mmCIF file of all heavy atoms in Angstrom:
data_model
loop_
_atom_site.group_PDB
_atom_site.id
_atom_site.type_symbol
_atom_site.label_atom_id
_atom_site.label_comp_id
_atom_site.label_asym_id
_atom_site.label_seq_id
_atom_site.Cartn_x
_atom_site.Cartn_y
_atom_site.Cartn_z
ATOM 1 N N LEU J 379 -11.568 -7.716 50.830
ATOM 2 C CA LEU J 379 -12.918 -7.786 51.403
ATOM 3 C C LEU J 379 -13.246 -9.217 51.803
ATOM 4 O O LEU J 379 -14.022 -9.486 52.698
ATOM 5 C CB LEU J 379 -13.956 -7.314 50.376
ATOM 6 C CG LEU J 379 -13.983 -5.831 50.013
ATOM 7 C CD1 LEU J 379 -14.921 -5.626 48.836
ATOM 8 C CD2 LEU J 379 -14.449 -5.018 51.220
ATOM 9 N N ARG J 380 -12.672 -10.168 51.069
ATOM 10 C CA ARG J 380 -13.016 -11.566 51.225
ATOM 11 C C ARG J 380 -12.540 -12.140 52.567
ATOM 12 O O ARG J 380 -13.242 -12.888 53.197
ATOM 13 C CB ARG J 380 -12.400 -12.355 50.082
ATOM 14 C CG ARG J 380 -13.210 -13.545 49.666
ATOM 15 C CD ARG J 380 -12.616 -14.151 48.437
ATOM 16 N NE ARG J 380 -11.168 -14.308 48.599
ATOM 17 C CZ ARG J 380 -10.343 -14.618 47.619
ATOM 18 N NH1 ARG J 380 -10.804 -14.787 46.418
ATOM 19 N NH2 ARG J 380 -9.060 -14.757 47.834
ATOM 20 N N ASP J 381 -11.331 -11.792 52.988
ATOM 21 C CA ASP J 381 -10.827 -12.438 54.183
ATOM 22 C C ASP J 381 -10.977 -11.562 55.436
ATOM 23 O O ASP J 381 -10.179 -11.624 56.342
ATOM 24 C CB ASP J 381 -9.385 -12.907 53.997
ATOM 25 C CG ASP J 381 -8.566 -11.862 53.287
ATOM 26 O OD1 ASP J 381 -8.830 -10.651 53.493
ATOM 27 O OD2 ASP J 381 -7.677 -12.234 52.508
ATOM 28 N N SER J 382 -11.994 -10.698 55.434
ATOM 29 C CA SER J 382 -12.250 -9.973 56.680
ATOM 30 C C SER J 382 -12.855 -10.954 57.688
ATOM 31 O O SER J 382 -13.411 -11.984 57.316
ATOM 32 C CB SER J 382 -13.165 -8.778 56.438
ATOM 33 O OG SER J 382 -14.249 -9.184 55.665
ATOM 34 N N GLU J 383 -12.800 -10.598 58.965
ATOM 35 C CA GLU J 383 -13.014 -11.572 60.035
ATOM 36 C C GLU J 383 -14.418 -12.181 60.116
ATOM 37 O O GLU J 383 -14.607 -13.252 60.663
ATOM 38 C CB GLU J 383 -12.616 -10.959 61.387
ATOM 39 C CG GLU J 383 -13.281 -9.628 61.695
ATOM 40 C CD GLU J 383 -12.432 -8.444 61.221
ATOM 41 O OE1 GLU J 383 -11.835 -8.522 60.120
ATOM 42 O OE2 GLU J 383 -12.358 -7.458 61.940
ATOM 43 N N HIS J 384 -15.461 -11.523 59.529
ATOM 44 C CA HIS J 384 -16.833 -12.022 59.724
ATOM 45 C C HIS J 384 -17.236 -13.078 58.708
ATOM 46 O O HIS J 384 -18.410 -13.213 58.402
ATOM 47 C CB HIS J 384 -17.822 -10.855 59.673
ATOM 48 C CG HIS J 384 -17.438 -9.735 60.592
ATOM 49 N ND1 HIS J 384 -17.400 -9.864 61.960
ATOM 50 C CD2 HIS J 384 -17.003 -8.467 60.343
ATOM 51 C CE1 HIS J 384 -16.996 -8.739 62.519
ATOM 52 N NE2 HIS J 384 -16.738 -7.873 61.546
ATOM 53 N N GLY J 385 -16.298 -13.796 58.132
ATOM 54 C CA GLY J 385 -16.663 -14.798 57.139
ATOM 55 C C GLY J 385 -16.833 -14.114 55.786
ATOM 56 O O GLY J 385 -16.770 -12.884 55.675
ATOM 57 N N ASN J 386 -17.042 -14.895 54.719
ATOM 58 C CA ASN J 386 -17.109 -14.327 53.384
ATOM 59 C C ASN J 386 -18.422 -13.612 53.126
ATOM 60 O O ASN J 386 -19.455 -14.249 52.971
ATOM 61 C CB ASN J 386 -16.904 -15.424 52.334
ATOM 62 C CG ASN J 386 -15.430 -15.631 52.086
ATOM 63 O OD1 ASN J 386 -14.619 -14.761 52.393
ATOM 64 N ND2 ASN J 386 -15.087 -16.793 51.564
ATOM 65 N N GLN J 387 -18.334 -12.289 53.061
ATOM 66 C CA GLN J 387 -19.519 -11.480 52.756
ATOM 67 C C GLN J 387 -19.599 -11.370 51.226
ATOM 68 O O GLN J 387 -19.186 -10.377 50.642
ATOM 69 C CB GLN J 387 -19.377 -10.096 53.385
ATOM 70 C CG GLN J 387 -19.235 -10.096 54.881
ATOM 71 C CD GLN J 387 -20.575 -10.078 55.591
ATOM 72 O OE1 GLN J 387 -21.578 -9.633 55.028
ATOM 73 N NE2 GLN J 387 -20.609 -10.600 56.808
ATOM 74 N N TRP J 388 -20.142 -12.407 50.567
ATOM 75 C CA TRP J 388 -20.074 -12.459 49.105
ATOM 76 C C TRP J 388 -20.741 -11.268 48.444
ATOM 77 O O TRP J 388 -20.296 -10.787 47.408
ATOM 78 C CB TRP J 388 -20.694 -13.765 48.585
ATOM 79 C CG TRP J 388 -19.807 -14.938 48.841
ATOM 80 C CD1 TRP J 388 -20.070 -15.994 49.648
ATOM 81 C CD2 TRP J 388 -18.510 -15.152 48.305
ATOM 82 N NE1 TRP J 388 -19.020 -16.864 49.660
ATOM 83 C CE2 TRP J 388 -18.042 -16.374 48.832
ATOM 84 C CE3 TRP J 388 -17.684 -14.434 47.437
ATOM 85 C CZ2 TRP J 388 -16.799 -16.888 48.528
ATOM 86 C CZ3 TRP J 388 -16.452 -14.951 47.126
ATOM 87 C CH2 TRP J 388 -16.008 -16.173 47.672
ATOM 88 N N GLN J 389 -21.851 -10.806 49.076
ATOM 89 C CA GLN J 389 -22.556 -9.682 48.439
ATOM 90 C C GLN J 389 -21.655 -8.448 48.367
ATOM 91 O O GLN J 389 -21.703 -7.684 47.412
ATOM 92 C CB GLN J 389 -23.892 -9.398 49.134
ATOM 93 C CG GLN J 389 -23.844 -8.610 50.427
ATOM 94 C CD GLN J 389 -23.374 -9.462 51.609
ATOM 95 O OE1 GLN J 389 -22.864 -10.575 51.459
ATOM 96 N NE2 GLN J 389 -23.535 -8.931 52.807
ATOM 97 N N LEU J 390 -20.762 -8.296 49.380
ATOM 98 C CA LEU J 390 -19.865 -7.134 49.369
ATOM 99 C C LEU J 390 -18.722 -7.335 48.363
ATOM 100 O O LEU J 390 -18.342 -6.411 47.633
ATOM 101 C CB LEU J 390 -19.280 -6.899 50.769
ATOM 102 C CG LEU J 390 -20.300 -6.538 51.847
ATOM 103 C CD1 LEU J 390 -19.591 -6.225 53.160
ATOM 104 C CD2 LEU J 390 -21.159 -5.355 51.409
ATOM 105 N N VAL J 391 -18.183 -8.569 48.329
ATOM 106 C CA VAL J 391 -17.110 -8.851 47.368
ATOM 107 C C VAL J 391 -17.611 -8.576 45.952
ATOM 108 O O VAL J 391 -16.927 -7.944 45.134
ATOM 109 C CB VAL J 391 -16.644 -10.316 47.506
ATOM 110 C CG1 VAL J 391 -15.607 -10.640 46.434
ATOM 111 C CG2 VAL J 391 -16.073 -10.566 48.887
ATOM 112 N N MET J 392 -18.827 -9.042 45.680
ATOM 113 C CA MET J 392 -19.363 -8.863 44.327
ATOM 114 C C MET J 392 -19.657 -7.396 44.031
ATOM 115 O O MET J 392 -19.448 -6.920 42.919
ATOM 116 C CB MET J 392 -20.633 -9.707 44.147
ATOM 117 C CG MET J 392 -20.366 -11.197 44.093
ATOM 118 S SD MET J 392 -19.155 -11.611 42.813
ATOM 119 C CE MET J 392 -18.476 -13.101 43.482
#
Side-chain angles (χ1 to χ4, degrees):
Chain J
L379 290 171
R380 212 173 48 191
D381 43 33
S382 47
E383 53 268 40
H384 309 296
N386 274 340
Q387 300 273 336
W388 286 115
Q389 79 284 13
L390 296 184
V391 176
M392 290 305 153

